[in-house]
Amino acid sequence: MPVALPEQGRSGTVGEPPINLDWTAKDPDVDLPVYIIVSAPRDNGPHDPRGLHWRLVWQVARDRWRNVHIVEHRDDRQRAPNPRYVYWGALTQSSDPSASKSTKVLVGMMSLAMRQSIERLALEVPVMWPDGTWNCQNWILDLLTRMYRSGIISQRRWEEVVGAAHNGQ
């Protein structure tokens, strides 16, 4: 059975978290499309579908995207587990998640209140000790399930989104 890391993997990390540009573009009080981005590994070699990276995103301004996902954190000075997955919180970043060989799966049009609820729910999703099987897909599935249980998405939408993400479409 997987074991949760303290503080969603942040406890005991060495080095700096990713840069958060939320000071440059606040999440606007309008309905926005929220997507799951399914990305291939950076090495561009053959990969198994479990090696695809999943994240939840929405565009808050030109060249600014809000990202909700776990990232791999590695530092030679860090105690075990190293590397590990970490959830640093929702981050606003400048990279366009659809610019690379990625698939965008529409989760739905969501109000600011719904997006803020997603960010709060994400703070409750555990990050597990690395075991070679649990990864970002499990984390996003847990978050989507919490979104369904809290009424942000329907069961049907959950099924459609998860199916499309698994198929990379």
Side-chain angles (χ1 to χ4, degrees), residues 29-165:
D29 193 1
V30 297
D31 290 359
L32 294 174
V34 173
Y35 301 97
I36 289 181
I37 301 296
V38 179
S39 305
R42 291 185 189 142
D43 65 12
N44 291 324
H47 55 271
D48 147 340
R50 287 287 296 157
L52 299 174
H53 183 68
W54 291 12
R55 59 183 158 158
L56 210 59
V57 303
W58 55 92
Q59 189 169 12
V60 296
R62 185 174 179 269
D63 299 326
R64 296 292 184 264
W65 292 81
R66 197 80 173 145
N67 289 266
V68 177
H69 65 130
I70 58 173
V71 295
E72 186 178 286
H73 184 73
R74 176 190 314 261
D75 189 297
D76 292 337
R77 302 165 296 161
Q78 183 172 279
R79 63 180 169 81
N82 189 27
R84 70 176 83 178
Y85 290 114
V86 178
Y87 180 60
W88 296 103
L91 301 170
T92 299
Q93 297 176 314
S94 61
S95 61
D96 179 351
S98 61
S100 62
K101 292 181 182 178
S102 300
T103 301
K104 279 169 59 170
V105 177
L106 180 65
V107 178
M109 291 295 293
M110 306 213 177
S111 67
L112 175 60
M114 294 167 84
R115 296 189 308 273
Q116 289 171 335
S117 292
I118 291 168
E119 291 187 21
R120 281 191 299 276
L121 289 170
L123 291 169
E124 300 171 4
V125 179
V127 174
M128 300 303 179
W129 186 277
D131 67 359
T133 59
W134 188 93
N135 68 14
C136 60
Q137 293 178 20
N138 300 91
W139 193 85
I140 290 291
L141 284 170
D142 190 332
L143 177 57
L144 288 169
T145 300
R146 291 165 192 257
M147 290 166 59
Y148 158 66
R149 289 183 182 149
S150 67
I152 296 172
I153 59 173
S154 67
Q155 180 177 354
R156 180 175 180 194
R157 191 68 200 138
W158 184 95
E159 292 168 357
E160 292 168 350
V161 167
V162 170

